[in-house]
Amino acid sequence: MDDTNTVKHRWIDVDGVGTFYREAGPADAPAILLPHGYPCSSYEFRNFMPLLADGWRLLAPDFPGCGYSDTPEGFVYDFDGYATFLDRFLNRLGIERFALYLHDFGSQIGLRLAIMRPDRIAALIIQNGDIYEDQLGPKYAALQEYFRNPTPEMRAKLGEAITEEGFRDEFLNDVRPELAERIPPDLWKLHWSLMTDRRRKITIGVIAGLKDNLAWFPRYQAYLREHRPPTLIVWGPQDGYMPEGSARAYLRDLPDAELHLLDGGHWLLETNLAEVVALVRDFLPRVWR
């Protein structure tokens, strides 16, 4: 029986890091790398992957310290560390060229990976991932307060949002009530159940590191301007962190990008899955070279 479209759940050793990942599609098909966002894991792509697996090889790893991957002592838990991890994960699987799905903090990690080896990027799919400081939404207010005053006390305050209720707020994130009904509580229940004291400390460090990540925003933008990868932008404007302006800002550096504003929020693969899949299925065959 052909089970190409079935999502496989696998573990692999990536330079000593026990790594969980989801895979679907033929091993010889063009690859799509799916780095996840916060506070999620590869679970966010569970419904997306089988709907594209007839023609693509989809790979969604859990970052170290997230989901079902290990939380090793020696790992560097910052955006550079995660980008290097993605590079080694791809090398371990023998993937040279790929399309890259950019969402949430996975967008910035993914762009660091693209900057490392721009020749590997066949196309970008960008979905609610911010790299324009002047377009940050109102939910960034608490983080921006920390950026202005990064004291130990303010850093500790960041941890107050790392709760089950805080996770729920991250996943519902300003969508209208009828859309919120489409977002399963499994998202915050599962990911909160996987949080440990050590992972919580790591998470606070990653969130605090967003301050230094702002300095990378011009570098991400320069990469886009210089290399002009074929790009599809699918965006949910009902997003307190990354509203419509965050999506339109990409057109400054990628004027040829295809932009689609959908009736959804930050987690489009929960609320607008069929629309996103249709757009990706139309886009990738046209641009893959």
Side-chain angles (χ1 to χ4, degrees):
M1 183 176 68
D2 182 7
D3 64 348
T4 296
N5 289 40
T6 302
V7 176
K8 315 298 195 310
H9 305 89
R10 293 176 167 152
W11 280 263
I12 193 173
D13 183 284
V14 179
D15 290 348
V17 178
T19 300
F20 173 81
Y21 69 104
R22 301 169 199 261
E23 179 172 1
D28 59 350
I32 306 174
L33 179 65
L34 304 161
H36 63 81
Y38 169 84
C40 209
S41 66
S42 61
Y43 185 75
E44 75 169 274
F45 298 108
R46 70 200 181 282
N47 296 322
F48 178 78
M49 296 173 71
L51 300 179
L52 287 159
D54 57 336
W56 308 91
R57 183 183 184 187
L58 297 107
L59 298 162
D62 287 352
F63 286 120
C66 299
Y68 300 126
S69 287
D70 289 351
T71 310
E73 289 288 347
F75 187 81
V76 179
Y77 293 94
D78 61 18
F79 284 17
D80 276 341
Y82 291 135
T84 300
F85 162 79
L86 288 178
D87 181 57
R88 292 172 176 171
F89 171 76
L90 291 166
N91 292 340
R92 180 74 171 79
L93 293 179
I95 305 295
E96 181 58 29
R97 202 154 184 267
F98 53 93
L100 184 55
Y101 195 109
L102 302 177
H103 175 235
D104 196 82
F105 82 160
S107 62
Q108 297 145 4
I109 296 164
L111 284 171
R112 294 196 190 204
L113 174 65
I115 289 169
M116 289 164 59
R117 282 283 305 277
D119 57 301
R120 300 177 77 177
I121 306 302
L124 298 179
I125 303 158
I126 303 174
Q127 189 248 298
N128 292 66
D130 54 325
I131 63 166
Y132 295 90
E133 189 172 359
D134 64 318
Q135 294 298 323
L136 299 179
K139 285 181 80 74
Y140 263 102
L143 273 172
Q144 289 171 318
E145 185 181 354
Y146 170 76
F147 296 162
R148 290 189 295 269
N149 186 31
T151 64
E153 293 76 18
M154 290 298 296
R155 180 186 173 101
K157 191 175 179 181
L158 296 177
E160 294 176 6
I162 305 175
T163 62
E164 183 176 331
E165 185 63 25
F167 279 18
R168 179 179 182 274
D169 183 64
E170 292 288 337
F171 285 113
L172 297 181
N173 185 3
D174 292 359
V175 295
R176 298 193 314 275
E178 67 271 23
L179 290 176
E181 291 178 344
R182 303 181 191 178
I183 299 176
D186 311 57
L187 283 164
W188 57 88
K189 294 286 186 181
L190 168 64
H191 292 95
W192 179 246
S193 75
L194 295 170
M195 183 61 64
T196 63
D197 287 343
R198 183 154 176 270
R199 284 188 168 192
R200 188 173 182 276
K201 291 175 183 175
I202 289 168
T203 302
I204 292 172
V206 171
I207 294 172
L210 290 170
K211 178 180 185 297
D212 297 328
N213 187 55
L214 290 176
W216 274 76
F217 279 16
R219 297 175 67 175
Y220 303 145
Q221 296 159 22
Y223 160 79
L224 297 176
R225 282 195 306 275
E226 180 180 350
H227 295 281
R228 296 288 183 93
T231 300
L232 171 69
I233 304 170
V234 289
W235 207 275
Q238 297 170 50
D239 185 338
Y241 290 104
M242 305 165 203
E244 180 176 332
S246 298
R248 294 194 179 278
Y250 276 95
L251 299 180
R252 302 171 189 173
D253 300 303
L254 291 171
D256 298 326
E258 300 180 26
L259 170 61
H260 299 267
L261 298 171
L262 307 184
D263 184 21
H266 192 77
W267 302 92
L268 283 180
L269 300 185
E270 303 298 333
T271 60
N272 301 72
L273 176 65
E275 292 174 273
V276 175
V277 168
L279 290 167
V280 173
R281 290 183 71 91
D282 173 70
F283 169 73
L284 282 180
R286 287 190 284 108
V287 303
W288 194 288
R289 299 288 184 269

